[in-house]
Amino acid sequence: MRFFCLFALLAPVDGAAPTYSRDVAPILFRHCGGCHRPGDVAPMSVLEYKSARPWAKSIREAVVSRRMPPWFADPSYGHFSNDARLSEAEIKTIREWVDAGAAEGDRAQLPPVPKFVKGWHLGDPDLVIDIGQDFQVKPGADDYQHFIVPARLAQGRWIRAVEFRPGNRAVVHHGHVNLVRGREEAGATTIESMTPLAKYLEREGSLTRVRADAPVLDDACVANAPDLPYLRGYQEGAFASFLPGRPPDVFAEGSAKWIPAGAQLEFVIHYARISGAPQTDRTSIGLYLAKDPEKILHRMDLRNFFFRIPPGAAAHTVRRCYEFEKDKLLLSITPHMHFRGKDVRYELIRPSGARETLLSVPGYHFDWQLVYRFAQPVRIEKGSRLEVTAHYDNSPNNKANPDSSAAIRWGDKSEEEMMTSWIEYFEAEPGRKPTAAGPSSN
Ligand code: HEC
């Protein structure tokens, strides 16, 4: 009896309470199915009524609180093509569906269930390259491994997309792929090769960190900053990356990256700490060839290696600036910090002095390292300055904080910190179109 009263109160006047088949499935398929499907990262599948129904209450809660889908950019700044947020109308539909009893409705009204290729999200790759061994991950500590394998290309190739496929999702936390010419050059874009930095570093097995007694520079934007390595300009970014919540690297429309003949690939894989039995991983990447690319896609990485976060600090500021040495078109920004990362903001100062915020992430989460892709490339003139301001929460109030009593410096380990931004861009004046023989040399 009570049920009927409640139902009568909440159902729309015409009796058409939202149903899964007609109203809710289209939303869930589109915004949730990429992760909430059998065999993927998220707990339940939303692709079927019977697997989604038991989660109806949590689904309502997760969408009303906007905890799902994961998206952390402040909507007051910038427009992003991969903005995952649901509209108010979509949230209302889900809320009303749950409040009215989460009915299935007429199955004939179901939209087509999205087809996900088993394994590769992007479909069958043109080339697959793996780490060359079944690597044993031992229980205990975090592990960073570098694997160098030949790409086995007789001729150079333009690549339009790269999918990084963890061999064992339970152990692969994240990873990067760099192009190197040989073992001697291994880590060309990684920490090993950063010779000027070497004297400030120490190693613990396969892990690297900045020494506790290295100089400290939290604000690398100050005019009289000491001349420490890698605080100006930028470094070439990795060829491709895999992070939790990050979709495969599909390069912007018409653009590509070049792999030269004879190239070797360096896989840098962060294996998460495991307990129990050892596990095996054989991670691979799928490469998708570009036919006739118009442009070259670039990625610059900006870092500050010299911050020090005091014990207990609740909002410690770390900054890094970059002056544009030529005109560029910015395509995306990926902020990267660890457990203590709290928020980060990207402000641009044009040569005219005009200041604008390109991206603000007020609630950063290590679990979700998202890429923010601009809806339109942002044109930036030479002489503009980008200011990256991040805050770290090393207080006991940060639930993710592994240890609030320690002073924290830069380090590979998740328990240490990073301050990195990856920025994809096109050159505003790209010169000649790339040819089948490789990047033109002007
Ligand atoms: C990018 C991948 C991704 C997308 C997109 C996504 N989810 Fe999730 N979701 C996850 C993962 C991973 C978890 C488990 C870890 C966690 O809770 O953070 C999760 C957890 C959940 C949970 C259970 C735990 C909780 O936090 O309440 C619900 C309910 C949920 N998601 C609903 C949704 C709905 C509804 C959508 C779409 C509107 C959606 N998710 C979109 C990845 C995703």
Side-chain angles (χ1 to χ4, degrees):
M1 189 57 203
R2 238 178 108 215
F3 173 74
F4 281 106
C5 297
L6 191 66
F7 185 80
L9 262 178
L10 295 167
V13 200
D14 62 358
T19 67
Y20 175 83
S21 303
R22 186 188 54 209
D23 310 291
V24 173
I27 303 172
L28 300 183
F29 288 5
R30 174 146 172 249
H31 296 283
C32 326
C35 302
H36 289 275
R37 61 189 173 102
D40 215 285
V41 291
M44 78 300 197
S45 168
V46 296
L47 302 184
E48 280 187 75
Y49 177 71
K50 70 173 186 321
S51 52
R53 175 65 186 85
W55 290 82
K57 281 223 172 80
S58 1
I59 290 176
R60 182 195 193 281
E61 206 276 312
V63 302
V64 168
S65 66
R66 290 196 178 275
R67 205 169 62 249
M68 286 283 150
W71 183 257
F72 304 99
D74 179 338
S76 333
Y77 307 105
H79 296 285
F80 302 95
S81 61
N82 62 331
D83 190 336
R85 288 174 305 144
L86 299 185
S87 67
E88 290 299 336
E90 288 167 326
I91 294 174
K92 181 165 176 271
T93 302
I94 292 177
R95 209 182 55 221
E96 290 179 352
W97 170 63
V98 178
D99 291 346
E104 178 170 22
D106 181 356
R107 280 190 195 186
Q109 295 175 319
L110 262 184
V113 180
K115 288 208 175 28
F116 292 102
V117 186
K118 246 205 153 68
W120 300 100
H121 287 239
L122 300 179
D124 283 337
D126 297 306
L127 297 163
V128 176
I129 302 166
D130 71 24
I131 59 174
Q133 56 178 279
D134 291 329
F135 181 73
Q136 264 233 336
V137 185
K138 299 195 183 70
D142 279 45
D143 195 6
Y144 260 81
Q145 288 292 330
H146 296 243
F147 304 94
I148 294 151
V149 293
R152 295 206 179 79
L153 294 180
Q155 65 187 94
R157 296 287 200 171
W158 286 106
I159 305 297
R160 66 176 171 83
V162 184
E163 181 166 341
F164 183 106
R165 184 175 174 190
N168 182 344
R169 274 192 178 272
V171 292
V172 176
H173 183 267
H174 67 263
H176 308 288
V177 178
N178 298 308
L179 288 185
V180 293
R181 265 172 299 186
R183 193 161 289 275
E184 70 291 346
E185 212 187 58
T189 60
T190 65
I191 192 80
E192 272 73 35
S193 69
M194 298 179 181
T195 335
L197 201 59
K199 64 177 173 191
Y200 302 114
L201 299 176
E202 64 189 16
R203 297 183 65 93
E204 178 189 329
S206 59
L207 298 164
T208 312
R209 73 162 78 90
V210 161
R211 292 203 331 248
D213 62 357
V216 175
L217 188 62
D218 291 324
D219 186 355
C221 299
V222 288
N224 58 350
D227 194 17
L228 292 165
Y230 302 109
L231 292 179
R232 296 200 176 69
Y234 63 89
Q235 294 163 271
E236 284 307 321
F239 192 72
S241 292
F242 165 81
L243 292 174
R246 183 185 175 89
D249 278 292
V250 178
F251 303 148
E253 188 71 31
S255 73
K257 290 187 182 182
W258 177 251
I259 303 192
Q264 314 229 20
L265 298 181
E266 178 196 30
F267 286 79
V268 184
I269 302 183
H270 182 174
Y271 290 108
R273 179 202 308 269
I274 55 166
S275 50
Q279 301 246 8
T280 306
D281 171 57
R282 192 172 189 121
T283 283
S284 52
I285 55 167
L287 298 174
Y288 300 81
L289 301 179
K291 286 258 152 46
D292 189 17
E294 292 289 323
K295 291 182 191 170
I296 303 177
L297 182 76
H298 301 278
R299 189 180 113 183
M300 57 172 149
D301 291 2
L302 309 180
R303 300 180 173 98
N304 180 344
F305 285 106
F306 292 97
F307 58 84
R308 178 182 179 278
I309 308 168
H316 185 72
T317 310
V318 178
R319 306 218 305 154
R320 168 69 154 86
C321 283
Y322 163 65
E323 304 264 333
F324 283 79
E325 75 291 352
K326 49 170 111 164
D327 291 12
K328 292 185 176 177
L329 295 165
L330 295 202
L331 302 171
S332 76
I333 299 180
T334 306
H336 177 71
M337 301 183 273
H338 293 172
F339 292 130
R340 295 169 179 88
K342 182 183 170 78
D343 59 59
V344 59
R345 179 187 279 259
Y346 295 81
E347 287 173 295
L348 186 76
I349 298 116
R350 305 262 183 196
S352 66
R355 185 180 268 270
E356 69 199 79
T357 296
L358 297 180
L359 167 68
S360 169
V361 177
Y364 176 85
H365 282 265
F366 182 55
D367 289 345
W368 294 110
Q369 302 191 23
L370 305 187
V371 51
Y372 298 93
R373 296 191 188 284
F374 295 111
Q376 296 294 328
V378 182
R379 195 183 176 102
I380 301 190
E381 312 87 334
K382 173 180 170 178
S384 303
R385 175 179 160 94
L386 182 65
E387 292 185 357
V388 188
T389 306
H391 292 102
Y392 293 83
D393 184 352
N394 194 15
S395 78
N397 293 331
N398 173 4
K399 277 185 277 175
N401 191 353
D403 180 5
S404 62
S405 69
I408 301 300
R409 304 220 53 171
W410 186 96
D412 282 334
K413 255 194 198 167
S414 311
E415 289 80 2
E416 290 154 348
E417 271 301 336
M418 290 197 181
M419 199 266 191
T420 308
S421 305
W422 307 338
I423 303 181
E424 288 178 305
Y425 68 95
F426 291 144
E427 306 226 317
E429 311 301 337
R432 277 190 295 133
K433 206 182 127 173
T435 70
S440 58
S441 53
N442 62 335

